[in-house]
Amino acid sequence: MRMSFDERLGSHLKRVEQELQAVKAAAVKPAGLTVPQYAALFVLDEQPGISAAELARRCLVTPQTMTTILRNLESADLIERTPHPLHRHVIETRPTTAGRKALEQADKRATSVERRLADAFSEEEAETLRTLLARVSEALTTDPILKS
């Protein structure tokens, strides 16, 4: 049985996700960052020295995409990458002073986006939304089609 476009929850989720990405992209652009670069700097600021593989997982991108993000951040002198003092095959990544400054500028604007989004809901509504989104995630990540 066919479902109309409006009946498909996925189309509504995709639209909102694209709208959020567009607003966040506009928010971080004055700092010279893309949303993926901002996300990487945000995580690196909280966990300096994190591995690129873990950074990719935290930012919800592939390791190959993270390699490109890190290469671009490094060429812009926003991060520095150095070998781990004990594990020579591990490269530690940390924001530079310029990277922290770009992050601070971008984060002010990105936080204002998140605050406007949060302000659209009461605390109870926001909690309900988080619960519903968790159910969406559960339904999608346990879908039998993933096992085929």
Side-chain angles (χ1 to χ4, degrees):
M1 165 171 356
R2 227 178 125 106
M3 293 176 76
S4 73
F5 187 78
D6 280 343
E7 290 175 297
R8 295 173 186 250
L9 293 177
S11 64
H12 295 282
L13 290 169
K14 182 65 175 174
R15 177 182 47 80
V16 170
E17 187 269 339
Q18 288 180 328
E19 291 166 350
L20 177 61
Q21 288 303 312
V23 172
K24 284 240 178 137
V28 302
K29 187 177 182 179
L33 298 175
T34 64
V35 173
Q37 290 171 336
Y38 164 71
L41 282 172
F42 188 87
V43 173
L44 285 170
D45 191 56
E46 288 188 341
Q47 292 185 286
I50 190 174
S51 71
E54 182 59 25
L55 184 58
R57 283 188 286 279
R58 295 277 315 274
C59 293
L60 305 174
V61 298
T62 65
Q64 295 84 353
T65 298
M66 185 51 67
T67 297
T68 301
I69 292 167
L70 291 175
R71 189 178 311 121
N72 291 337
L73 288 171
E74 189 173 30
S75 68
D77 294 321
L78 299 176
I79 62 166
E80 58 186 4
R81 303 179 78 202
T82 56
H84 188 279
L86 301 177
H87 307 285
R88 61 188 181 112
H89 295 300
V90 175
I91 302 294
E92 294 185 325
T93 306
R94 290 177 164 63
T96 61
T97 301
R100 282 188 292 283
K101 184 177 178 183
L103 172 62
E104 183 179 322
Q105 180 184 357
D107 196 46
K108 282 180 186 172
R109 293 172 55 94
T111 298
S112 73
V113 170
E114 291 289 346
R115 287 197 199 290
R116 278 194 310 279
L117 182 57
D119 289 347
F121 301 95
S122 69
E123 269 305 312
E124 184 177 310
E125 289 171 328
E127 187 55 39
T128 298
L129 181 57
R130 283 189 284 274
T131 300
L132 292 172
L133 289 172
R135 282 177 39 199
V136 168
S137 180
E138 176 73 16
L140 293 173
T141 58
T142 61
D143 192 305
I145 201 166
L146 294 175
K147 293 176 176 55
S148 56

